[in-house]
Amino acid sequence: MRYVLRDAAGKIISLHLEPVPGAEPLPVDHPEVRAFVAVADDEGRSFAGLDANLVRVLEDLIDVLIERNVLRITDLPAEAQQKLFDRKHFRSRVQKKSLQLFGADFDGGATLSGGLLADVSGLLPPDDGNPPKL
C-alpha cells in the first residue's frame, strides 16, 4: 500500500510509504501510482532512468576513490562488495558482446607493430636500429 497526496485538481503530487495527514491509501499497482512513478519530466526522463544514471555515477566514483587509495574495497560491507563485483562482471560481459571495431585480435596493447593496427603496420619504414633523421 502507498499513500498519495493530491493537488486541488486531484492530480497526485507526492507518494509516501507511510501514512501522512491527508493522504489517500492506494495499492502499489494502482494505475495512478504507476503513472506517477513512471511520469516523465519535461525532458522525457523518468525516475527509473535517472536512478540508473546515478548508479553508474556512484559506481564510477567508487572506482576513482579506490584507484586513488582513498577507499579500499574491503572498507565496504560484504554485500556492497558483492554488488559492485557483480556489476563489474556484468559490464565486462556486455562489453565483450558489443561491437568490436578493431576485431578480436586487437586489445589496444603494445604489439609488434607498436600498437598500430595490422593493416597499416606494413606502411612503416623498416627499423634499421638508427634514430630517424629530421
Side-chain angles (χ1 to χ4, degrees):
M1 189 65 62
R2 297 295 182 258
Y3 301 88
V4 299
L5 289 175
R6 297 179 184 270
D7 63 10
K11 182 179 174 187
I12 295 177
I13 56 171
S14 66
L15 181 67
H16 304 268
L17 291 173
E18 302 294 327
V20 294
E24 169 190 347
L26 285 178
V28 177
D29 60 350
H30 189 279
E32 286 182 286
V33 171
R34 294 180 75 191
F36 179 77
V37 172
V39 90
D41 67 2
D42 293 340
E43 297 175 16
R45 297 178 295 188
S46 67
F47 283 122
L50 292 172
D51 286 348
N53 290 336
L54 181 60
V55 167
R56 178 62 192 263
V57 168
L58 292 174
E59 184 181 359
D60 291 343
L61 174 65
I62 291 169
D63 286 345
V64 168
L65 293 174
I66 290 172
E67 287 174 18
R68 293 184 180 178
N69 293 319
V70 174
L71 176 74
R72 292 178 303 218
I73 191 73
T74 55
D75 292 339
L76 300 172
E79 296 83 11
Q81 291 178 37
Q82 187 60 50
K83 288 177 183 176
L84 286 168
F85 288 134
D86 290 345
R87 280 191 57 86
K88 285 200 174 297
H89 291 298
F90 180 78
R91 279 177 47 188
S92 69
R93 284 194 315 265
V94 168
Q95 288 172 348
K96 285 179 185 176
K97 293 179 182 178
S98 65
L99 179 62
Q100 298 290 324
L101 295 177
F102 299 112
D105 295 335
F106 183 73
D107 63 359
T111 62
L112 294 176
S113 61
L116 299 175
L117 296 175
D119 60 338
V120 296
S121 62
L123 302 175
L124 295 173
D127 184 10
D128 58 4
N130 297 324
K133 296 177 185 175
L134 300 176

